[in-house]
Amino acid sequence: MRLICDPVYGEVDLTASAEELHRLADAVAEGEGQLSSTSSPGSDALAGIEVKRTAGPGVLVQLDAERRFLVISGESAGRAVLADNLRSIASAEDGGHLHIDYFPGHFYLAEGSLPLVVNSPHGGMPAC
């Protein structure tokens, strides 16, 4: 798994195998877990993802800058939607990516969530 944080836009780019995305989806659904990522010194790579169960409302995606971890927290209903979305992109055989971006009135993300791009393990854009 590789997590890159864009220092200008604050967007996090996640590239992982289908197996890693399914493990992340399981952790998100359960509301607890920690996954490590590949990082290199002096880069914008993050050390991993931590998932926590909280009361909500919604799901909050934040950066723990001190530990260089992406933290996903929230209530069970919102985490279930996010977990389903992660499983879908992990299983999408035609490639592509998933944008997880907060906007006012978002049905499962909480205000203040960082934008997250999850890349398909099959790469590229979907075929038409």
Side-chain angles (χ1 to χ4, degrees):
M1 177 182 312
R2 187 151 170 82
L3 286 163
I4 305 294
C5 183
D6 184 313
V8 175
Y9 298 105
E11 180 177 83
V12 176
D13 188 83
L14 167 61
T15 303
S17 68
E19 180 182 315
E20 290 168 324
L21 287 174
H22 281 287
R23 281 198 320 260
L24 175 58
D26 290 344
V28 168
E30 292 170 14
E32 60 184 354
Q34 188 168 313
L35 291 90
S36 297
S37 71
T38 305
S39 62
S40 51
S43 75
D44 292 320
L46 301 178
I49 301 174
E50 181 179 29
V51 180
K52 297 192 259 185
R53 184 180 303 128
T54 59
V59 172
L60 185 62
V61 179
Q62 298 177 286
L63 178 62
D64 179 336
E66 185 176 310
R67 294 184 320 143
R68 307 272 314 146
F69 261 77
L70 187 69
V71 179
I72 300 172
S73 61
E75 44 82 29
S76 63
R79 289 192 333 272
V81 174
L82 177 56
D84 286 346
N85 288 339
L86 292 168
R87 286 186 187 101
S88 291
I89 195 69
S91 301
E93 294 182 14
D94 61 349
H97 59 275
L98 170 68
H99 285 267
I100 301 170
D101 294 304
Y102 171 80
F103 56 83
H106 196 283
F107 67 103
Y108 76 88
L109 286 178
E111 185 175 359
S113 285
L114 289 176
L116 177 63
V117 177
V118 182
N119 297 292
S120 167
H122 303 289
M125 290 301 292
C128 295

